[in-house]
Amino acid sequence: MTLYEKIQSTPFLISGPCIIENESMVMNLAEKISLIAEELKLTYVFKASFDKANRTSVDSYRGHGIKEGLRILQKVKDTFGLPVTTDIHESHQAEELAEVIDVLQIPAFLCRQTDLLLACGNTGRIVNVKKAQFLSGIEMKHAIKKVESTENKQIILTERGTMFGYNNLVVDFRNIVDMKSFGYPVCMDVTHSTQKPGGMDGKSGGNREYAIYLASAAAAVGVDGFFFEVHENPDQALSDGPNMIALKDFKQLLLDSVVKHKTGLH
């Protein structure tokens, strides 16, 4: 069974740190989260960004860059046998990333970028398109058509909240229902949906305590997969700390939300 077939047929988990801070941190999280996913019978894709091109401030940490980032992600694959995903920001990166990356993730702000969607589709890799904070679920049909035009129908759609200004996000769960009508797996980005974009004077804040409720609600609505950013010490993280889940709390959070409410995981 291919990775996409597993994603279509079983509950899946996309999880890891927001950004690659160092190799040892990435390897530790990949190992620990993979054990949790295996125990809970979730198809697992490890996530870490080699670059965060959309940081609020020019002074914010962005990552290790594509060469070093791919080296570390390849080590995750080789060591633990895990599929991996990472953000892509420029269309010219697609071919190089596809040599290592199993799921190319389109950041929400970029989901209307035609050249980026076409480049990802042309790689033949799975393309995870995050719904922009300014779009409705129904409008994602246009992003789908762009990827489909490359003859690639390995698509995931991800909900991550809607922004109405004032450094806050709101999740309208009707978007999950609407996106599921297109026939592709739909993922709930739980931790980014608790974010407060730009809410900490040059960086984003967040309320990770709401994650369990958003995950439970998404499971009840029928979402196919879940996205959580996880860190050993979120308060010391170099990106998205306020909305990331502490590794020590992650298994219990999944048990109390995803496993408790998702049919077939009891």
Side-chain angles (χ1 to χ4, degrees):
M1 186 180 291
T2 67
L3 174 60
Y4 192 64
E5 287 171 339
K6 291 179 181 178
I7 286 171
Q8 289 178 301
S9 61
T10 61
F12 65 93
L13 173 67
I14 300 174
S15 186
C18 176
I19 197 166
I20 295 173
E21 296 181 9
N22 58 68
E23 182 177 321
S24 62
M25 177 265 266
V26 166
M27 298 301 289
N28 181 58
L29 285 170
E31 179 179 20
K32 299 291 177 55
I33 298 173
S34 67
L35 292 174
I36 294 171
E38 181 179 7
E39 181 180 345
L40 301 183
K41 297 180 173 58
L42 300 169
T43 295
Y44 177 46
V45 179
F46 178 78
K47 181 268 171 185
S49 297
F50 66 88
D51 179 27
K52 298 296 288 186
N54 57 350
R55 297 302 305 273
T56 303
S57 170
V58 71
D59 298 319
S60 295
Y61 175 75
R62 286 185 54 171
H64 279 56
I66 192 167
K67 298 294 184 185
E68 179 66 2
L70 286 179
R71 183 192 69 78
I72 293 172
L73 291 170
Q74 182 66 64
K75 186 173 181 180
V76 169
K77 295 184 70 169
D78 294 341
T79 304
F80 305 113
L82 294 173
V84 296
T85 185
T86 196
D87 291 308
I88 178 172
H89 299 284
E90 304 282 351
S91 56
H92 68 79
Q93 298 172 335
E95 187 174 345
E96 183 175 3
L97 288 175
E99 294 178 5
V100 175
I101 303 303
D102 302 280
V103 182
L104 295 170
Q105 180 171 284
I106 308 290
F109 287 129
L110 302 180
C111 75
R112 288 170 53 121
Q113 297 297 105
T114 301
D115 289 344
L116 183 60
L117 290 165
L118 296 180
C120 289
N122 280 323
T123 67
R125 293 297 195 177
I126 300 169
V127 183
N128 179 16
V129 189
K130 287 195 167 187
K131 181 184 73 62
Q133 298 90 328
F134 48 83
L135 292 181
S136 67
I138 288 294
E139 290 176 281
M140 288 296 285
K141 64 184 177 182
H142 303 295
I144 291 171
K145 289 178 180 178
K146 291 176 183 180
V147 180
E148 287 180 336
S149 74
T150 68
E151 306 299 323
N152 185 345
K153 293 189 176 182
Q154 295 189 108
I155 300 170
I156 300 170
L157 303 175
T158 294
E159 167 64 31
R160 53 97 70 241
T162 300
M163 189 169 185
F164 298 92
Y166 308 105
N167 310 112
N168 205 359
L169 291 167
V170 176
V171 177
D172 182 346
F173 288 95
R174 293 175 297 181
N175 286 323
I176 291 175
V177 177
D178 290 341
M179 288 192 290
K180 282 179 67 70
S181 72
F182 298 125
Y184 290 107
V186 175
C187 182
M188 178 68 199
D189 182 343
V190 178
T191 47
H192 279 116
S193 296
T194 71
Q195 195 178 55
K196 290 185 175 294
M200 293 180 67
D201 190 25
K203 59 182 179 180
S204 293
N207 297 99
R208 69 176 73 96
E209 64 269 22
Y210 294 131
I212 186 172
Y213 304 107
L214 294 180
S216 298
V221 172
V223 78
D224 303 289
F226 300 83
F227 180 111
F228 289 89
E229 287 188 336
V230 176
H231 196 281
E232 294 159 302
N233 187 351
D235 292 334
Q236 299 300 317
L238 299 180
S239 176
D240 274 6
N243 52 264
M244 280 200 281
I245 305 301
L247 177 61
K248 66 180 179 62
D249 299 327
F250 189 41
K251 179 182 175 181
Q252 192 61 50
L253 188 153
L254 290 175
L255 286 169
D256 291 341
S257 57
V258 174
V259 174
K260 182 177 180 180
H261 296 281
K262 185 67 176 170
T263 300
L265 287 180
H266 296 284

